[in-house]
């Protein structure tokens, strides 16, 4: 009888729940303003949340260093969240020291350069792929170097109001999603990336471009400011038509002077709509389709043509109606725009 009593007591003890050190699971990849957890008092910062995600008590130091963490980034092949091995945090030093892998298709991604390459062709050895000339132009080291050293400043001839005013206009559109994750797609040399990161408005800023050399230039400017090196800021190489983020995972997307360069604007805006959370905001700027709106005129490109050879200037220019129609056809609502000569800033919101 005594043995039966002891056995029953042991069974009851083993069935009692044990306390867990992990945070409750959340459907959001990284909680944003729409997440119920973000509205609780004392909700941790993005960096603290990343650290808490791996707060499982290790048995040894080797096990601690090998802990895997689900990341905000997703595989560009199957869109499954990537598993990360390395220090937590959405900042350049942490990402540089981390490895990323898709548990679904087993594809690995590294940041062996100063950016994390999340293109489908990342890691290929024999296969090469070229985009249209208007896209490939900005992969040139020379164009990447010149972009912030005179090239972008010429846009004021077409009515672009200037970096500071454009930034403030975008910030006004992004007010409903303050505190969330922002993607600066086709970021170029990071003109707006640095402004968004330094504003303190967002939990994380991801600078994204297809051009390796633009991302290198972006890093050259970032490393001149220690506050940016340790900010929640990441550099990612990706295809705008296949964004490496899970659906409904991002709060804000900015595309400055970019859509006219994209190989397929419709595919790109559809991808933007896919990754935005319900209520998320997309803001873009471009040149309207007017006979004299081309900032890449023959005269402007003549010195560049003498160095790199013939340059194809067949960009996509749109009317106001076309941009609105495109955004609405991709599921964006509350379309709004501001026009100054051939400059347009337009915005749409992901429907709830």
């Amino acid at each position: 009888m005594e043995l039966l009593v002891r056995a029953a007591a042991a069974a009851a003890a083993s069935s009692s729940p044990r306390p867990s050190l992990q945070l409750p699971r959340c459907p959001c990849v990284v909680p944003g303003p729409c997440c119920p957890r973000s509205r609780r008092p004392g909700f941790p910062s993005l960096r603290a949340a990343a650290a808490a995600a791996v707060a499982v008590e290790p048995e040894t130091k080797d096990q601690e260093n090998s802990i895997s963490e689900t990341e905000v980034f997703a595989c560009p092949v199957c869109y499954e969240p990537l598993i990360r091995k390395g220090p937590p945090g959405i900042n350049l030093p942490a990402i540089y020291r981390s490895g990323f892998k898709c548990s679904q298709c087993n594809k690995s991604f590294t940041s062996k350069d100063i950016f994390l390459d999340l293109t489908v062709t990342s890691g290929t050895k024999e296969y090469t792929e070229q985009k249209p000339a208007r896209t490939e132009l900005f992969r040139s080291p020379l164009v990447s170097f010149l972009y912030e050293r005179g090239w972008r400043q010429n846009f004021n001839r077409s009515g672009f109001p200037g970096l500071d005013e454009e930034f403030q206009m975008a910030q006004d559109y992004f007010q409903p999603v303050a505190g969330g994750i922002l993607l600066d797609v086709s970021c170029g040399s990071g003109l707006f990336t640095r402004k968004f990161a330094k504003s303190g408005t967002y939990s994380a800023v991801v600078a994204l471009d297809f051009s390796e050399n633009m991302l290198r230039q972006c890093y050259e400017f970032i490393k001149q400011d220690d506050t940016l090196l340790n900010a929640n800021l990441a550099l990612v190489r990706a295809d705008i038509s296949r964004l490496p983020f899970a659906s409904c995972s991002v709060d804000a997307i900015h595309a400055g002077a970019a859509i006219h360069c994209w190989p397929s604007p419709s595919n790109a805006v559809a991808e933007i709509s896919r990754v935005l959370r319900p209520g998320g905001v997309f803001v873009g700027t471009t040149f309207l389709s007017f006979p004299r709106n081309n900032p890449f005129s023959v005269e402007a490109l003549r010195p560049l043509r003498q160095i790199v050879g013939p340059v194809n200037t067949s960009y996509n220019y749109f009317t106001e109606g076309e941009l609105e129609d495109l955004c609405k056809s991709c599921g964006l609502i509350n379309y709004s725009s501001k026009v100054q000569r051939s400059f347009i800033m337009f915005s749409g919101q992901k429907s709830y």
Side-chain angles (χ1 to χ4, degrees):
M1 179 65 69
E2 183 179 354
L3 291 176
L4 291 175
V5 172
R6 289 181 179 178
S14 63
S15 63
S16 61
R18 296 182 179 180
S20 173
L21 293 176
Q22 294 182 333
L23 292 175
R25 295 291 294 172
C26 173
C28 302
V29 178
V30 169
C34 66
C35 176
R37 295 178 66 201
S38 66
R39 295 190 288 269
R40 291 202 321 234
F43 178 73
S45 65
L46 181 66
R47 187 175 300 175
V54 295
V56 180
E57 186 173 347
E59 295 180 3
T60 66
K61 187 173 182 179
D62 290 339
Q63 288 178 340
E64 181 180 9
N65 292 335
S66 65
I67 289 174
S68 296
E69 171 194 0
T70 301
E71 256 302 329
V72 298
F73 306 115
C75 174
V77 177
C78 60
Y79 294 136
E80 287 294 316
L82 296 180
I83 301 301
R84 171 176 177 173
K85 289 188 177 181
I90 308 299
N91 59 74
L92 295 175
I95 291 177
Y96 180 80
R97 298 195 302 271
S98 298
F100 299 82
K101 188 174 184 178
C102 176
S103 59
Q104 182 75 20
C105 65
N106 211 36
K107 185 175 176 65
S108 297
F109 304 88
T110 63
S111 54
K112 61 182 179 181
D113 212 325
I114 49 82
F115 54 84
L116 177 61
D117 192 340
L118 294 181
T119 58
V120 172
T121 56
S122 173
T124 56
K125 297 180 180 179
E126 300 294 334
Y127 179 80
T128 58
E129 185 174 88
Q130 284 196 334
K131 299 291 184 180
R134 60 180 177 269
T135 302
E136 291 295 323
L137 174 66
F138 293 96
R139 297 179 71 185
S140 160
L142 177 61
V143 173
S144 299
F145 178 82
L146 293 175
Y147 188 77
E148 198 166 327
R149 298 173 174 88
W151 183 294
R152 182 55 163 77
Q153 287 79 351
N154 284 325
F155 289 7
N156 59 7
R157 298 179 180 179
S158 297
F160 277 65
L163 300 178
D164 291 339
E165 186 172 344
E166 291 171 50
F167 169 71
Q168 190 54 57
M169 291 167 65
Q171 286 286 80
D172 292 342
Y173 277 121
F174 286 138
Q175 281 184 3
V177 290
I181 298 174
L182 179 140
L183 305 186
D184 188 19
V185 300
S186 296
C187 66
S189 59
L191 284 162
F192 291 101
T193 299
R194 302 194 298 274
K195 289 180 175 292
F196 287 128
K198 290 180 74 70
S199 72
T201 308
Y202 310 97
S203 59
V205 174
V206 179
L208 185 149
D209 206 288
F210 187 74
S211 169
E212 306 92 325
N213 285 304
M214 280 295 190
L215 291 169
R216 293 187 183 106
Q217 283 296 317
C218 187
Y219 178 71
E220 288 299 314
F221 288 109
I222 287 174
K223 73 179 185 179
Q224 297 174 18
D225 189 334
D226 290 340
T227 61
L228 288 174
L229 279 174
N230 295 299
N232 286 334
L233 171 62
L235 302 183
V236 174
R237 181 174 184 247
D239 188 338
I240 187 63
S241 294
R242 202 160 183 88
L243 293 173
F245 300 91
S247 299
C248 303
S249 62
V250 174
D251 303 279
I253 297 180
H254 174 261
I259 191 173
H260 54 275
C261 300
W262 293 345
S264 174
S266 60
N267 285 348
V269 177
E271 271 292 271
I272 287 170
S273 179
R274 179 185 67 82
V275 303
L276 279 174
R277 297 182 193 272
V281 177
F282 168 51
V283 174
T285 60
T286 189
F287 301 87
L288 286 174
S289 179
F290 290 134
R292 302 178 65 179
N293 74 338
N294 191 350
F296 310 106
S297 62
V298 174
E299 292 75 15
L301 288 174
R302 183 173 289 117
L304 182 63
R305 187 176 283 111
Q306 294 174 352
I307 300 173
V308 300
V311 177
N312 188 336
T313 60
S314 56
Y315 293 89
N316 291 312
Y317 296 119
F318 305 94
T319 64
E320 292 182 65
E322 286 175 322
L323 289 171
E324 181 176 3
D325 194 28
L326 174 59
C327 288
K328 289 182 176 179
S329 71
C330 292
L332 300 179
I333 61 174
N334 298 329
Y335 179 87
S336 177
S337 65
K338 299 175 182 178
V339 176
Q340 180 173 305
R341 287 187 286 168
S342 61
F343 162 83
I344 182 172
M345 175 174 283
F346 60 98
S347 176
Q349 188 175 32
K350 177 74 169 285
S351 60
Y352 290 91

